[in-house]
Amino acid sequence: MMAPIVEKASPQPVDLGFSVSHQTVELDIDLRSRSLKGRTAIIINPHSKDLRIIRLNCRQAAFTRLSLNGKPCSAIIYTDPYKKAKLQWNAAGVQQYDMLQRKLEGQFRDPPVEELEVTIPKSVKIDELDPFSEEAQNILLSRTLGNSKRDSGDGSAIELVQSSRTAIEQTARFTPITLIIEYVIDKIRDGMHFVGWEEGDLRYPHAYTTNRSSPGAACCLFPCVDNLNSKCIWDISIKCQKTIGDALQQPSSPNSEPQANGVHGILNSVNEINGHRKVDVQTSNFSDEDKALDLAVICTGAVTDEIVDARDPTKKTTSFTCTTAVSAQHVGFAIGPFEHVDLAEFRESEEDERLGQNAVPVHGFCLPGRVDEVKNTCLPIAKAVDFITMTYGSYPFSDYSLCFVDDLHPDILDTGSLSICSNRLLFPEDIIEPLDRVSRQLVHALAVQWMGINIVPKDPSDFWVVVGIAYFITDIFMKKLSGNNEYRYNQKRAADRVVELDVDRPSLYDTGALINLDPSELEFLELKAPLVLFILDRRLTKAGTSGGLSRIISRIFLNAKVGDLANGSIDSPYFIRTCEKLGHMKFDVFFAQWVEGAGCPKFRVSQRFNKKKLVVEMMIQQSQAENIKDRDMDSENFVRDVKEEHKAVYAGPIQPAFTGPMTIRIHEADGTPYEHIIEIKDTKTTFDIPYNTKYKRLKRSRRQKERTAATVGNEYTGSGNDDILLYSLGDILQSEEEMKEWRLAEWSKDDEEKMSQESYEWIRMDADFEWICKMSTSMPPYMWVSQLQQDRDVVAQLESIQWMSFVNAHELVSTVLVRTLMDQRYFHGIRTAAAAVLAKNAKSEVGWIGSFHLEKAFQEFFCYPGSPMTRSNDFNDRASYYIQCAIPRAMAKVRNPSGHTPFQSRNFLFEKLKFNDNSNNEISDCHYVATLMRGLAEALASKPPFPANDLDDLGDSSGDNQNFLNACLEEIDRYRRIDEWVPSYHNILSITALDCKRILAKARIIQTRPADYLQYTPDGTSEYLRLGAFSNVMALDLTKNHAILRWFLLVLGTDTSPHVRESMLRIFGKTLGALAVGEHLEIAKDQAAQLDGLVIEHESTTEARQADLARKQTVEGALNALKDEVSGNPVLKEELWKAIESPTLSLRQLGELLDICDWLYEPDSKIIVVLRYPRYWASKNLGKGKLLFSRTSRVRTTIPKRKTVAAALQPFIKRENTIPNNGMQPPLKLTFKPKKPPLQSTASASSVTGVESVPPSPIVEGENAKPKLKIKFKVSGGAGSPL
């Protein structure tokens, strides 16, 4: 049966009715005012002649001119989401968050709603073209190769055109339309970040784009189709100032405030007025030498020219062309005083000669003073480019560049031919800790150029293919760089991590649509997808497919190059078909289980040797569907759980049975491994494996001879050709003196007897690493020891160590582990794992043998002979360095029966920290010292804050007193002070010192002093230290302090660094998660138990117990508990809404805060309007005709009723119709007459002179009826009157 992933079609993106074949972007950027003037020309290929509306993504722009085919166009509809990102009345608060959500709903979608609609005028006609006409050929040529190659007459253009007839038919069927848009952006809020342009910020000024693969970022700088599948070729011109001094001298608007990223804020010097940060940019921070530094522009594509502006010699224009079609999300650039590093010089001479002109140029760009760090960090990149090119296919661009900048989030932004990297990745030669991690990140950024930019997923559900292949290529190169042991060790650890995390999660296929929901979704996808391809490669290789998965990837790259992948988009069915075609086997079941399905199998294996049949009877059961328990809520995953609950994301169904081949390797008594391949078809699989060896005791006798030879000091060479030495690893410390000195144990006689009766040495399940699973094998302990010591595969060795971590403490287990630790032939990862398990064997019932072996091993490796005093550090051997860090880390985990670290272990850590000497070491010891500091703090935190009777404690209990605690605290603080004067790498010592204080404060060993952490939170402090301080402040539940909460939310909403804001959001989410699941309550309960050993719990009601259980197991229960904890906090309401209204936040960050409001508060559609009550007035007679009126404190709360007043009769006013003697017209006179009720009388018209008769008025009924007065005016005309 074909897998569902192949049968069902993925939902297709909304068809805009056109495609873009070419786009030209011209940007004139004013770095000081953070504004730009832009012009873009978009060549649009209609899909039908009925196209009438062009929809584009565009944000924060103001248009100055639009034209279609050279004709002005005014029929546009444009909605800027940033103008809608704030409610227009001041009375709004957090409970009106839903109004803001509804206004921005279209922009939070994936993909977002297009903001710009251009109606095509009727004068612009769309005609159908002959697909093979010359015009159509030129259209495709422009789309594929760009104007530069077409003008140069590159012969490769003709070949590509001839091989892309299908593309012509799809994209050149109708007359193209050229849309030209001219616009301005007054303040760039999103899409581009500016660093170092503020007063007090001493960093070198630079700027760079911040677009990523998520939609809605690229359109912030130029109108485009902001969709991953909309790819075209690009011509980009960027105009900016030539030097830093020119940029700083540019005039800005006198009425505008210079801002960072279009918002209020600077990094170092802050003047806060009513919560806003006012900045005054000056040039005093820069020396003349700094001002003279040239500003370089690095952009997607290849540089075509750089021209100085003829009108303004302080400006220059740099032009680029990208002839490989990429999406707008993969167009990026950086501007700054970057220094160039030619990374191709690290290419080996042999490779350089072999590649010749085909060698890809590799460039590094960094800020002044960091060239050496770039050379050290990017050392393997040139080798990686050559390896991927030779193994998988040609590089899709002309060259490759890495540009290192400040404040970037995340660590790397992937754009076409350019990776914008954070300076956090750089490390000098004397730092070795981040070497493997950073190298893998940079190599992955390179692999994304092939799979992730040149080839993109067709639909969100296909992200697993792109992510998996990019990381698979990365890991294959890291295998070449670091060796097979490192590669398999990391794959095994990643597989164990997947088994741990893949619980109540959607499948890989469904996770692709969730990568923008929460960062942890992408992290899980990056972890599992390459592992699935790893086990696929193992099965392909085992089936005889030459080249395995690498051959398939190479074919996909070739098909994309010749146009087999439409628009460079790959989907899951295409990948599966290619695997089946080249692998010559069906993979529908494999992909249905590992991609379409969720979860991982859990195997229980039992075996028995049948002497009569001479077979090994085995049974494999799958238990992943048994004893299913709901995963408890925790603070780390709280945000993801809530988002998935609100978005109706559900976990994939648990698969009762995974099927497929499994290799079982039985190492029989003669030492020969025999492999057997069995097929897992059901939840329970039973089978018999034939036995081959006749002589069971052959190897046992050889082992006894080895021990005897070791005892007498001779070397055992064997008695014949067939008697070869197999007992290799872990065979040290065998003499009687060494065993006595190290307190080593030996197998008992009963164990020796059982071992002699066994028919095989050990059974290795899944020997070829074809499964991501949890395997439980019921083997005797000595078989696990044989596997550890005789199997050369690091995966098998690690499985043996993991088994020992679950058994009870025993002298023999500690003996095996310490021999593994001391044997330098083991891979360093196995040795460090053995050190960690030794801590679990430090128990009183076995005489603390584990801690003794740890201390003895450290003394043997790193101390003077016969003394506990450590020698000067020497980290030239990386394996030795890892062991030196692993032993103290393990000692910090030693616990006695009461849960406390013995004094001897604490004293061991203290002495190693106090007497650490790095004076003769070329390598920095900051990470090693940080390990000692953290280990000492964890050991101290396990001890009650005041003396307790510890019968199992080692050493003199009188030494474990307040003086010892004070000495430990002083030592930790000493390294913090050293770090202030001589900063360590990323201030790791200061950050670790703060972590130690937080650990001790949580355990109530020391008092919590917020000032210890808050002193590192202002602007101007290292971002590593600021974030570490904020993280510790929130972990200590100091949010109840209103001042601290205000400061935290102010920084979250207004800090200029995108990395700081993103990190603060994560800290805030973790803090809310801790409050939701009640971690602070558990800590308080543990502290009470440590104080006096007695906890009095009040008997709670059933409802309270159910609510406490619900907050730990269900999202709804956790949210209800969170609302009870914080929803009534007025400071949180006020400051959270201020952060939402901050103009600093990007739309995505604004959406995150609105989601938090949705969790905490019920929406309220009404707003309370506050009006002042009217007050009574009082008057005072001052005499002489003066009155003083004043408002009293008496408030009027009711409106008085009108009193009924009878109208008084008014006298007649008669106008005399006479002319005065002066001949002037007499003044106007009026006569008023009250109207009498009609029933009484009717007045004669002649009875009143000068007043016209008035008709009777209607009767007014009711209690308040009163006579009405009607007045009519009539001017009597007299002699000389004009009337």
Side-chain angles (χ1 to χ4, degrees):
M1 178 179 177
M2 190 66 70
I5 191 174
V6 180
E7 288 184 349
K8 66 182 182 182
S10 301
Q12 297 296 323
V14 178
D15 186 11
L16 296 174
F18 65 90
S19 58
V20 178
S21 61
H22 181 271
Q23 184 164 354
T24 301
V25 177
E26 300 173 4
L27 301 177
D28 184 356
I29 302 176
D30 188 340
L31 295 170
R32 178 176 175 180
S33 64
R34 296 153 185 85
S35 61
L36 66 81
K37 295 179 182 179
R39 180 184 183 275
T40 182
I42 307 174
I43 298 179
I44 295 172
N45 293 326
H47 293 173
S48 70
K49 61 175 60 179
D50 299 327
L51 178 66
R52 300 264 48 99
I53 297 179
I54 300 174
R55 294 183 175 88
L56 298 174
N57 298 101
C58 182
R59 297 179 179 179
Q60 67 184 6
F63 302 111
T64 58
R65 181 176 176 270
L66 283 89
S67 65
L68 277 170
N69 288 350
K71 300 178 181 180
C73 178
S74 58
I76 66 169
I77 300 176
Y78 174 59
T79 304
D80 186 2
Y82 292 98
K83 294 183 178 179
K84 300 191 301 181
K86 185 177 181 180
L87 298 181
Q88 298 301 320
W89 52 86
N90 297 328
V94 288
Q95 292 188 286
Q96 284 74 48
Y97 72 90
D98 59 318
M99 300 180 184
L100 200 53
Q101 269 186 332
R102 287 194 297 269
K103 292 177 66 176
L104 299 173
E105 181 181 6
Q107 275 63 44
F108 292 150
R109 294 177 186 171
D110 188 8
V113 175
E114 294 80 13
E115 296 85 4
L116 175 62
E117 292 186 2
V118 180
T119 302
I120 300 176
K122 295 182 179 179
S123 58
V124 177
K125 295 183 179 181
I126 301 175
D127 298 325
E128 190 168 358
L129 290 176
D130 179 6
F132 300 103
S133 65
E134 182 179 358
E135 185 178 359
Q137 295 277 348
N138 291 333
I139 292 173
L140 180 69
L141 185 62
S142 175
R143 170 188 170 90
T144 312
L145 298 179
N147 297 327
S148 59
K149 282 195 174 184
R150 183 178 65 219
D151 296 339
S152 62
D154 192 341
S156 62
I158 306 301
E159 297 177 3
L160 191 53
V161 171
Q162 295 298 327
S163 64
S164 304
R165 292 291 184 183
T166 56
I168 298 175
E169 296 172 0
Q170 294 175 358
T171 61
R173 292 177 54 195
F174 301 95
T175 307
I177 301 173
T178 301
L179 172 62
I180 298 178
I181 303 175
E182 297 180 4
Y183 60 96
V184 296
I185 302 178
D186 292 330
K187 292 296 179 183
I188 300 176
R189 171 173 175 173
D190 214 350
M192 191 172 180
H193 180 59
F194 298 83
V195 181
W197 299 95
E198 300 82 28
E199 174 69 18
D201 192 344
L202 302 181
R203 295 177 295 178
Y204 285 101
H206 57 286
Y208 54 88
T209 55
T210 57
N211 53 302
R212 59 177 75 181
S213 296
S214 57
C219 61
C220 292
L221 297 181
F222 49 84
C224 61
V225 179
D226 200 345
N227 191 306
L228 200 60
N229 296 108
S230 178
K231 302 171 69 177
C232 67
I233 60 176
W234 297 80
D235 286 322
I236 304 170
S237 297
I238 299 176
K239 185 177 181 180
C240 66
Q241 293 78 23
K242 287 178 56 180
T243 65
I244 292 179
D246 295 335
L248 294 173
Q249 292 173 4
Q250 294 299 314
S252 59
S253 174
N255 297 325
S256 62
E257 294 184 4
Q259 299 171 353
N261 271 354
V263 298
H264 299 277
I266 59 175
L267 284 179
N268 289 354
S269 179
V270 180
N271 295 322
E272 294 187 6
I273 303 175
N274 297 328
H276 295 284
R277 303 177 177 185
K278 188 176 181 180
V279 184
D280 183 20
V281 178
Q282 298 181 0
T283 61
S284 58
N285 291 340
F286 304 97
S287 64
D288 293 337
E289 183 179 355
D290 290 338
K291 295 177 185 178
L293 291 174
D294 290 333
L295 293 176
V297 181
I298 302 99
C299 182
T300 296
V303 180
T304 57
D305 54 38
E306 183 174 305
I307 303 173
V308 177
D309 195 314
R311 297 182 178 179
D312 187 355
T314 64
K315 289 189 175 183
K316 65 179 180 179
T317 301
T318 310
S319 300
F320 304 83
T321 182
C322 182
T323 58
T324 302
V326 297
S327 68
Q329 298 174 4
H330 292 142
V331 174
F333 61 86
I335 305 173
F338 300 116
E339 295 184 356
H340 174 255
V341 181
D342 185 9
L343 298 177
E345 67 182 15
F346 298 106
R347 183 177 281 122
E348 297 178 1
S349 57
E350 297 178 358
E351 292 290 332
D352 205 4
E353 294 176 359
R354 184 175 59 168
L355 294 172
Q357 295 182 352
N358 295 325
V360 179
V362 184
H363 309 284
F365 296 93
C366 63
L367 296 173
R370 312 203 72 166
V371 170
D372 292 337
E373 294 182 13
V374 171
K375 290 181 178 180
N376 183 68
T377 304
C378 302
L379 184 64
I381 298 302
K383 187 174 183 178
V385 171
D386 298 338
F387 172 80
I388 300 176
T389 301
M390 300 298 295
T391 307
Y392 298 101
S394 60
Y395 182 65
F397 302 95
S398 59
D399 59 3
Y400 179 61
S401 301
L402 299 103
C403 183
F404 292 87
V405 297
D406 288 329
D407 291 348
L408 180 66
H409 185 87
D411 288 340
I412 299 176
L413 285 179
D414 300 307
T415 65
S417 75
L418 169 65
S419 293
I420 303 176
C421 309
S422 171
N423 280 329
R424 296 186 299 273
L425 298 180
L426 296 176
F427 58 93
E429 292 183 356
D430 62 342
I431 299 294
I432 60 177
E433 190 76 18
L435 177 61
D436 295 331
R437 172 181 57 84
V438 173
S439 296
R440 186 171 186 264
Q441 284 182 276
L442 295 179
V443 174
H444 173 258
L446 173 64
V448 167
Q449 299 294 321
W450 278 268
M451 180 60 74
I453 295 178
N454 186 45
I455 300 177
V456 297
K458 186 176 182 180
D459 294 306
S461 56
D462 304 317
F463 259 102
W464 72 273
V465 179
V466 174
V467 172
I469 291 178
Y471 273 103
F472 179 83
I473 294 173
T474 302
D475 292 336
I476 292 298
F477 174 75
M478 294 302 297
K479 174 183 176 181
K480 178 181 177 63
L481 190 67
S482 304
N484 188 60
N485 283 345
E486 185 86 31
Y487 173 68
R488 291 182 63 84
Y489 175 77
N490 290 334
Q491 295 296 90
K492 173 58 178 174
R493 293 184 62 188
D496 294 340
R497 183 64 176 161
V498 168
V499 173
E500 179 185 351
L501 293 179
D502 200 0
V503 179
D504 294 336
R505 280 185 176 269
S507 65
L508 278 181
Y509 191 75
D510 296 330
T511 303
L514 307 174
I515 58 174
N516 293 322
L517 185 66
D518 188 74
S520 61
E521 304 285 3
L522 180 59
E523 292 170 2
F524 177 74
L525 189 68
E526 293 172 342
L527 182 66
K528 185 176 181 181
L531 270 177
V532 171
L533 296 186
F534 168 76
I535 64 175
L536 174 64
D537 176 65
R538 302 299 301 167
R539 297 190 183 187
L540 283 168
T541 305
K542 193 172 183 179
T545 302
S546 177
L549 186 61
S550 295
R551 181 190 174 197
I552 295 172
I553 296 173
S554 179
R555 177 62 62 88
I556 291 174
F557 290 169
L558 178 62
N559 293 346
K561 184 177 180 180
V562 300
D564 191 22
L565 291 178
N567 206 27
S569 300
I570 189 172
D571 58 6
S572 301
Y574 178 88
F575 177 72
I576 296 173
R577 288 195 306 270
T578 307
C579 291
E580 293 176 344
K581 180 179 179 181
L582 299 181
H584 307 291
M585 58 189 300
K586 288 291 184 180
F587 287 103
D588 51 346
V589 176
F590 176 87
F591 287 105
Q593 292 178 156
W594 295 102
V595 177
E596 183 81 3
C600 296
K602 296 180 181 179
F603 295 113
R604 291 199 304 264
V605 183
S606 59
Q607 70 279 339
R608 186 177 69 89
F609 180 71
N610 191 323
K611 295 182 178 181
K612 294 182 179 180
K613 297 182 180 180
L614 286 179
V615 296
V616 179
E617 299 174 343
M618 300 192 68
M619 181 176 65
I620 301 177
Q621 292 178 300
Q622 299 190 42
S623 60
Q624 63 269 15
E626 301 175 4
N627 302 324
I628 302 173
K629 296 181 180 180
D630 293 332
R631 178 177 57 86
D632 289 343
M633 300 285 294
D634 61 88
S635 59
E636 293 288 345
N637 299 312
F638 171 76
V639 173
R640 176 180 64 85
D641 291 336
V642 175
K643 288 182 177 179
E644 289 182 348
E645 182 77 12
H646 281 222
K647 299 294 183 181
V649 177
Y650 301 106
I654 298 177
Q655 303 178 71
F658 284 77
T659 61
M662 179 180 290
T663 301
I664 301 176
R665 183 182 298 152
I666 299 182
H667 294 256
E668 298 187 3
D670 64 346
T672 305
Y674 294 91
E675 289 191 355
H676 308 271
I677 301 176
I678 57 101
E679 191 73 23
I680 306 294
K681 296 182 178 180
D682 204 348
T683 56
K684 183 177 180 181
T685 304
T686 58
F687 50 90
D688 297 336
I689 296 178
Y691 189 73
N692 300 280
T693 303
K694 297 180 181 180
Y695 305 100
K696 302 179 184 178
R697 298 184 57 85
L698 176 64
K699 196 173 183 184
R700 309 296 170 186
S701 61
R702 183 190 306 115
R703 183 171 300 172
Q704 294 296 333
K705 293 178 183 178
E706 294 168 6
R707 292 202 183 96
T708 304
T711 302
V712 298
N714 298 328
E715 182 180 357
Y716 174 70
T717 58
S719 58
N721 294 332
D722 296 333
D723 195 11
I724 58 176
L725 181 61
L726 297 177
Y727 185 76
S728 56
L729 298 177
D731 57 352
I732 60 174
L733 304 177
Q734 296 283 350
S735 65
E736 292 184 1
E737 292 80 5
E738 290 174 329
M739 294 186 66
K740 183 177 181 181
E741 179 185 358
W742 286 77
R743 294 168 53 185
L744 302 179
E746 194 57 85
W747 293 104
S748 66
K749 293 183 178 180
D750 293 339
D751 290 333
E752 290 280 359
E753 183 67 22
K754 291 179 181 178
M755 293 167 64
S756 65
Q757 297 299 321
E758 291 291 348
S759 301
Y760 50 87
E761 288 290 324
W762 74 93
I763 297 178
R764 173 81 191 285
M765 303 300 298
D766 189 23
D768 285 341
F769 202 163
E770 301 171 78
W771 293 78
I772 306 171
C773 64
K774 181 179 181 181
M775 189 79 67
S776 300
T777 307
S778 58
M779 289 195 304
Y782 45 80
M783 290 190 179
W784 288 106
V785 175
S786 296
Q787 177 174 310
L788 172 64
Q789 295 178 341
Q790 299 178 39
D791 200 319
R792 297 302 182 94
D793 186 4
V794 294
V795 176
Q797 297 168 5
L798 186 58
E799 288 175 350
S800 298
I801 297 292
Q802 290 172 341
W803 176 84
M804 294 180 187
S805 66
F806 293 105
V807 299
N808 294 328
H810 196 276
E811 297 91 340
L812 192 56
V813 175
S814 185
T815 298
V816 174
L817 291 172
V818 74
R819 282 174 172 165
T820 303
L821 175 62
M822 297 298 296
D823 193 343
Q824 300 184 28
R825 293 171 296 177
Y826 277 105
F827 175 65
H828 67 80
I830 303 301
R831 298 172 65 194
T832 55
V837 179
L838 271 173
K840 298 184 178 181
N841 287 272
K843 303 293 182 182
S844 58
E845 54 267 25
V846 291
W848 303 99
I849 188 65
S851 58
F852 170 79
H853 281 158
L854 285 171
E855 189 169 356
K856 184 71 174 176
F858 192 92
Q859 181 176 346
E860 184 73 17
F861 281 134
F862 311 111
C863 296
Y864 292 104
S867 170
M869 180 62 66
T870 56
R871 300 191 302 267
S872 179
N873 295 328
D874 182 7
F875 296 156
N876 289 316
D877 182 3
R878 287 184 63 200
S880 176
Y881 166 75
Y882 291 136
I883 299 302
Q884 190 168 351
C885 292
I887 293 177
R889 196 179 295 119
M891 287 291 283
K893 303 296 182 184
V894 176
R895 298 291 185 270
N896 60 18
S898 61
H900 307 137
T901 302
F903 174 74
Q904 184 170 338
S905 298
R906 295 196 295 274
N907 191 58
F908 170 86
L909 294 168
F910 171 70
E911 289 183 349
K912 299 303 174 282
L913 180 62
K914 182 177 181 179
F915 299 110
N916 175 64
D917 179 17
N918 203 60
S919 57
N920 299 321
N921 191 14
E922 297 179 354
I923 309 298
S924 172
D925 66 341
C926 59
H927 286 90
Y928 171 64
V929 171
T931 301
L932 293 174
M933 294 169 63
R934 193 181 304 275
L936 180 59
E938 292 175 353
L940 292 173
S942 67
K943 188 71 177 175
F946 30 75
N949 294 327
D950 245 345
L951 300 179
D952 296 310
D953 212 352
L954 288 179
D956 185 8
S957 60
S958 62
D960 190 10
N961 52 25
Q962 189 65 35
N963 293 333
F964 177 77
L965 174 62
N966 293 337
C968 294
L969 296 177
E970 174 61 28
E971 197 63 31
I972 292 174
D973 198 58
R974 181 174 72 89
Y975 279 100
R976 181 191 63 80
R977 295 194 303 270
I978 291 175
D979 194 47
E980 291 182 353
W981 290 99
V982 185
S984 59
Y985 177 71
H986 289 181
N987 296 107
I988 186 173
L989 295 182
S990 295
I991 295 173
T992 306
L994 295 181
D995 292 341
C996 294
K997 289 185 178 182
R998 184 250 309 161
I999 293 171
L1000 296 173
K1002 271 193 169 184
R1004 298 188 65 181
I1005 303 296
I1006 62 175
Q1007 293 183 349
T1008 302
R1009 296 179 56 190
D1012 292 343
Y1013 311 95
L1014 295 177
Q1015 63 178 331
Y1016 296 108
T1017 59
D1019 293 340
T1021 312
S1022 164
E1023 67 174 13
Y1024 316 104
L1025 198 49
R1026 291 184 72 199
L1027 294 175
F1030 273 120
S1031 179
N1032 285 305
V1033 165
M1034 303 306 279
L1036 288 171
D1037 195 25
L1038 295 178
T1039 53
K1040 296 178 181 178
N1041 186 310
H1042 289 174
I1044 294 177
L1045 182 59
R1046 280 194 178 96
W1047 173 236
F1048 179 87
L1049 292 175
L1050 175 66
V1051 174
L1052 187 153
T1054 62
D1055 198 274
T1056 58
S1057 170
H1059 174 65
V1060 171
R1061 294 197 303 270
E1062 290 286 346
S1063 301
M1064 297 285 279
L1065 275 173
R1066 281 207 170 193
I1067 294 172
F1068 192 40
K1070 185 178 178 180
T1071 302
L1072 294 178
L1075 293 173
V1077 301
E1079 288 184 0
H1080 58 297
L1081 301 178
E1082 296 295 331
I1083 293 173
K1085 187 182 298 185
D1086 293 342
Q1087 291 173 349
Q1090 284 188 350
L1091 287 177
D1092 51 16
L1094 178 64
V1095 179
I1096 301 177
E1097 295 184 354
H1098 296 285
E1099 186 175 354
S1100 58
T1101 62
T1102 303
E1103 292 78 6
R1105 288 195 296 269
Q1106 290 178 348
D1108 186 63
L1109 185 63
R1111 76 186 304 175
K1112 294 180 175 61
Q1113 294 184 348
T1114 65
V1115 174
E1116 182 181 1
L1119 284 178
N1120 290 335
L1122 180 61
K1123 291 179 181 179
D1124 294 339
E1125 290 279 351
V1126 301
S1127 61
N1129 189 332
V1131 175
L1132 178 61
K1133 289 183 177 181
E1134 177 185 352
E1135 298 302 325
L1136 183 57
W1137 188 249
K1138 284 183 180 179
I1140 289 173
E1141 291 186 320
S1142 170
T1144 309
L1145 299 179
S1146 65
L1147 278 185
R1148 194 190 62 79
Q1149 293 168 344
L1150 175 60
E1152 295 277 347
L1153 292 182
L1154 290 176
D1155 286 340
I1156 292 176
C1157 291
D1158 191 22
W1159 309 341
L1160 300 180
Y1161 306 106
E1162 294 295 331
D1164 192 354
S1165 58
K1166 65 176 182 294
I1167 297 178
I1168 299 176
V1169 180
V1170 179
L1171 299 176
R1172 293 182 178 180
Y1173 280 126
R1175 299 181 181 273
Y1176 284 93
W1177 287 82
S1179 62
K1180 182 178 181 182
N1181 190 348
L1182 300 179
K1184 298 183 179 180
K1186 295 181 179 180
L1187 293 177
L1188 176 64
F1189 293 90
S1190 61
R1191 183 179 295 176
T1192 66
S1193 59
R1194 183 184 174 191
V1195 177
R1196 176 179 293 174
T1197 58
T1198 59
I1199 300 176
K1201 295 184 178 180
R1202 293 181 177 273
K1203 296 182 180 180
T1204 303
V1205 180
L1209 294 178
Q1210 300 294 332
F1212 292 113
I1213 301 176
K1214 182 178 180 181
R1215 176 178 176 179
E1216 299 291 342
N1217 191 12
T1218 58
I1219 300 177
N1221 296 332
N1222 55 8
M1224 298 297 293
Q1225 186 175 350
L1228 179 66
K1229 289 188 178 182
L1230 303 178
T1231 303
F1232 296 86
K1233 177 183 179 182
K1235 182 64 180 177
K1236 297 180 180 180
L1239 295 179
Q1240 297 178 0
S1241 63
T1242 54
S1244 174
S1246 59
S1247 61
V1248 180
T1249 305
V1251 179
E1252 186 177 330
S1253 63
V1254 182
S1257 74
I1259 301 175
V1260 181
E1261 300 178 355
E1263 296 179 359
N1264 298 327
K1266 56 184 179 180
K1268 291 186 176 180
L1269 181 66
K1270 279 199 172 186
I1271 307 170
K1272 281 201 172 185
F1273 307 103
K1274 181 177 180 182
V1275 180
S1276 300
S1281 174
L1283 297 178

